[in-house]
Amino acid sequence: MKDNTPINGNDLMALGYPQTELLGIALKANKKRTGLTKVEMLAHYKMVLDKAEDYINHHVFGKLAKAIVEGVGQREEEDVIPLREHGVGYSIYGSEHIEEGAIKQMQTAAKLPVAVAGALMPDAHQGYGLPIGGVLATENAVIPYGVGVDIGCRMALSIFDIKGVEFYGMEGLLKEQLVKHTKFGAGHGFQGQYKAQHDILDRGEFNLNPFIKNLQDKAWEQLGSSGGGNHFVEWGLMEFLERDEVLNIDKGTYLALLTHSGSRGMGATIAGRYTQIAKDICKLPYEAKNLAYLDLKSEAGQEYWAMMNLAGDYASACHEVIHDKLTKAIGAEVLAKIENHHNFAWKEMYQGREVIVHRKGATPASKGVMGIIPGSMTAPGFLVRGKGEEDALNSASHGAGRQMSRTQAIKNLKAEDIKAVLADCGVQLIGAGKDEAPMAYKDIHQVMAAQGELVDVVAMFTPKIVRMADDGSRED
DNA sequence: ATGTCC
């Protein structure tokens, strides 16, 4: 009988494997396991630890054995920057909605020697380094994975001078133009005459070094594209229950365009390079290694800061291109435009001193600052105004947050059930995988209720025509 | 999130 009983980190630690990167290498050996039971595997693991030399050429354990012989994961104590015994304080909003893994990651982040304060938003879930929905203020240090892989991932909303009732006569045009002017999928961009122009491509930061210079062409190609995963471009109806003086918009329902995407391949490449540089310089204990940080005064820190800002502005430019194309295509006037990053780091004041506030999947919500918190492809999104809650480091959630992991959703959800929900909500969907189904997300109303102290709702957005990247299995 | 491990 084939025994597929999984082996996890705890099993290996019980055998004496240290909680260092050696544990990760050891777990990889389990992926090559063929026809061996868990008991047999564990017996091998024990012997590899005791006599690694004998396993150097083994087809399953060779890599692990080599790592042990080379002393990987037995780093000299003095190389490692210790975490503080007691972390700085952090507030949690809607803890009943938050998975334990995210809270553990926040606890680790709070123990960083550079940590000043933190906060966890109600849509938080486990990420790489800092949890998604995590906010962390640090002193003179930037954590590339505290910003995230998709630097400058953001929302942009255009509200048009078109009344909601007119939407139903425009559906054909809206859908056609949405398909015509947007581009989705990993690696995808525009070619030839379809490439967009924007001042961002002339920015001096592209001349900082050869690394960033090499990303300029890709940035041009992908300018105005949306990428994959949970990114979208959608038409919907924006409902103001009362007149908003600041926006100068009367009570009523308006056609609106909402977009969610980031800095595409360019930002991901910057994030990857600078987190690696940070890890080489800033060696932290195993559980904190993805929180490696750069001193802002160091050369690498200044390079990252400049490139992060460039990637943020590039992400903004991508939204601008999409909104400009579609606004022109439908010949509408824009009454108001609102936008915000939700994966970024800012220099802000906290209790009288300057700190670096990392928001990784969190909406800036300083007093009076507007932001957009999307729901799902069928659930409403909200235009909000920050209340400036210092305990939340002036932040709010960046969405509903997942209720099902991507794999769970793909495995358990049925295409006809998703279709039924879309039909019920009157939403037309172009693209998207099952992992983006409405049921894969938490109830946005509960998430909003959990952050009533952080933001006021200004208006509500109801999605009507949604485009996302095609399902991975259907991708060309 | 990203052409999914340089």
Side-chain angles (χ1 to χ4, degrees), chain A residues 139-142 293-305 347 354 356:
Chain A
E139 173 115 52
N140 190 44
V142 63
Y293 49 85
L294 296 166
D295 186 317
L296 272 181
K297 290 196 284 278
S298 70
E299 198 183 340
Q302 290 187 8
E303 281 175 7
Y304 176 76
W305 193 259
K347 287 179 181 166
E354 189 184 84
I356 304 303

Side-chain angles (χ1 to χ4, degrees), chain A residues 266-319:
Chain A
M266 177 188 155
T269 310
I270 294 168
R273 176 182 166 94
Y274 283 88
T275 203
Q276 192 51 57
I277 291 173
K279 280 181 183 174
D280 290 345
I281 299 172
C282 173
K283 298 196 164 148
L284 292 165
Y286 180 74
E287 68 274 22
K289 68 183 171 123
N290 290 322
L291 293 165
Y293 49 85
L294 296 166
D295 186 317
L296 272 181
K297 290 196 284 278
S298 70
E299 198 183 340
Q302 290 187 8
E303 281 175 7
Y304 176 76
W305 193 259
M307 290 181 198
M308 176 195 79
N309 276 285
L310 179 65
D313 291 345
Y314 173 74
S316 172
C318 285
H319 285 260

Side-chain angles (χ1 to χ4, degrees), chain A residues 51 61 98 125 137 199-200 261 397 475:
Chain A
K51 294 205 77 157
F61 294 100
I98 301 174
H125 53 102
D199 289 350
I200 188 74
S261 53
S397 89
E475 192 102 48

Side-chain angles (χ1 to χ4, degrees), chain A residues 136-380:
Chain A
L136 188 72
T138 57
E139 173 115 52
N140 190 44
V142 63
I143 306 167
Y145 273 169
V147 170
V149 174
D150 192 5
I151 299 171
C153 185
R154 69 202 318 270
M155 304 299 304
L157 171 76
S158 291
I159 302 167
F160 300 105
D161 66 340
I162 294 176
K163 284 283 182 342
V165 287
E166 293 175 54
F167 167 81
Y168 299 95
M170 300 177 68
E171 282 177 281
L173 170 75
L174 296 174
K175 189 172 177 181
E176 177 193 274
Q177 297 302 319
L178 175 59
V179 172
K180 186 174 170 187
H181 292 294
T182 59
K183 192 72 124 183
F184 283 83
H188 291 198
F190 295 92
Q191 268 76 44
Q193 58 170 309
Y194 298 104
K195 280 159 87 171
Q197 286 297 339
H198 194 284
D199 289 350
I200 188 74
L201 299 168
D202 304 323
R203 282 273 290 266
E205 290 96 323
F206 280 112
N207 299 315
L208 265 174
N209 60 24
F211 160 77
I212 189 75
K213 190 75 191 167
N214 284 334
L215 293 173
Q216 200 169 15
D217 282 344
K218 183 192 247 183
W220 188 14
E221 262 187 41
Q222 297 188 328
L223 182 62
S225 67
S226 299
N230 57 4
H231 289 171
F232 60 77
V233 178
E234 62 194 28
W235 297 108
L237 300 176
M238 199 82 217
E239 187 184 6
F240 286 77
L241 291 177
E242 54 188 76
R243 174 178 162 76
D244 190 89
E245 288 296 339
V246 179
L247 293 177
N248 189 27
I249 290 181
D250 286 327
K251 173 183 168 176
T253 304
Y254 305 85
L255 177 70
L257 178 70
L258 182 62
T259 50
H260 175 217
S261 53
S263 52
R264 311 288 287 101
M266 177 188 155
T269 310
I270 294 168
R273 176 182 166 94
Y274 283 88
T275 203
Q276 192 51 57
I277 291 173
K279 280 181 183 174
D280 290 345
I281 299 172
C282 173
K283 298 196 164 148
L284 292 165
Y286 180 74
E287 68 274 22
K289 68 183 171 123
N290 290 322
L291 293 165
Y293 49 85
L294 296 166
D295 186 317
L296 272 181
K297 290 196 284 278
S298 70
E299 198 183 340
Q302 290 187 8
E303 281 175 7
Y304 176 76
W305 193 259
M307 290 181 198
M308 176 195 79
N309 276 285
L310 179 65
D313 291 345
Y314 173 74
S316 172
C318 285
H319 285 260
E320 198 182 318
V321 167
I322 299 167
H323 283 243
D324 281 354
K325 282 179 178 173
L326 286 168
T327 300
K328 253 189 214 127
I330 65 165
E333 286 285 321
V334 177
L335 296 179
K337 194 166 177 206
I338 299 102
E339 52 190 323
N340 67 269
H341 285 331
H342 54 219
N343 278 13
F344 211 64
W346 291 262
K347 287 179 181 166
E348 292 179 12
M349 295 306 284
Y350 175 77
Q351 295 185 347
R353 60 168 159 159
E354 189 184 84
V355 292
I356 304 303
V357 177
H358 303 73
R359 294 190 181 87
K360 186 187 194 181
T363 305
S366 293
K367 193 165 179 59
V369 169
M370 298 196 102
I372 304 139
I373 302 176
S376 74
M377 56 172 73
T378 57

Side-chain angles (χ1 to χ4, degrees), chain A residues 48-70:
Chain A
V48 176
L49 202 55
D50 292 342
K51 294 205 77 157
E53 312 79 43
D54 296 352
Y55 276 87
I56 293 292
N57 295 314
H58 195 276
H59 64 291
V60 176
F61 294 100
K63 266 199 170 163
L64 172 60
K66 271 189 208 123
I68 292 171
V69 169
E70 286 165 10

